[in-house]
């Protein structure tokens, strides 16, 4: 069974920093694109950043220059380093990964979400 477990959320003041982590476990043949999404109250879930197996990254315009996505060398975890946080960054952040388990076709898996609150 494939699982994605996020950690690192919390309460931070405007201008502060946080680092989110997402660790993948299970019987996995391959992990393709990994990404972070977020959903604020009353809003649709939106893509924050993504990273391909080759390390190519993509960012939402609202976070460019402030957030950085990375994945570890074994490609079983993905991280989101966030700096210069703004109240508008407040949301539940979700880890997403396109994973091919052994004996199954690739599928998009989601973590349970971690709350990030930016407030003074």
């Amino acid at each position: 069974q494939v699982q994605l477990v996020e950690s690192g959320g919390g309460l931070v003041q405007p201008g502060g920093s946080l680092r989110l982590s997402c660790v993948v476990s299970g019987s996995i043949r391959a992990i393709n694109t990994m990404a972070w999404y977020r959903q604020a109250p009353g809003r649709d879930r939106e893509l924050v950043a993504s990273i391909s197996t080759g390390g190519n990254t993509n960012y939402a315009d609202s976070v460019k220059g402030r957030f950085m996505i990375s994945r570890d060398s074994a490609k079983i975890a993905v991280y989101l380093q966030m700096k210069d946080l703004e109240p508008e960054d407040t949301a539940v952040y979700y880890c997403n990964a396109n994973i091919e388990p052994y004996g199954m076709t690739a599928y998009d898996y989601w973590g349970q979400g971690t709350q990030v609150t930016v407030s003074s």
Side-chain angles (χ1 to χ4, degrees), residues 72-85:
D72 73 352
S73 58
K75 301 178 182 177
I76 57 171
V78 62
Y79 308 98
L80 187 68
Q81 180 68 49
M82 306 183 292
K83 67 177 183 178
D84 298 328
L85 283 160

Side-chain angles (χ1 to χ4, degrees), residues 38 47-49 59-68 89 93:
R38 67 186 180 186
L47 175 67
V48 176
Y59 295 93
D61 288 342
S62 60
V63 307
K64 283 180 180 177
R66 301 188 297 120
F67 291 11
M68 184 175 72
D89 296 316
Y93 283 70

Side-chain angles (χ1 to χ4, degrees), residues 7-13 17-20 82 85 89-91 93 114-119:
S7 61
L11 173 64
V12 64
Q13 292 186 342
S17 299
L18 281 176
R19 184 175 187 252
L20 305 183
M82 306 183 292
L85 283 160
D89 296 316
T90 295
Y93 283 70
T114 185
Q115 177 71 46
V116 171
T117 302
V118 184
S119 176

Side-chain angles (χ1 to χ4, degrees), residues 8-73:
L11 173 64
V12 64
Q13 292 186 342
S17 299
L18 281 176
R19 184 175 187 252
L20 305 183
S21 300
C22 173
V23 178
V24 181
S25 63
S27 181
I28 297 166
R29 182 180 182 279
I31 301 179
N32 302 310
T33 297
M34 305 182 81
W36 288 95
Y37 285 75
R38 67 186 180 186
Q39 187 167 21
R43 301 188 66 175
D44 293 334
R45 190 173 296 189
E46 64 174 354
L47 175 67
V48 176
S50 65
I51 184 167
S52 69
T53 51
N56 293 320
T57 57
N58 179 53
Y59 295 93
D61 288 342
S62 60
V63 307
K64 283 180 180 177
R66 301 188 297 120
F67 291 11
M68 184 175 72
I69 189 171
S70 61
R71 59 196 293 174
D72 73 352
S73 58

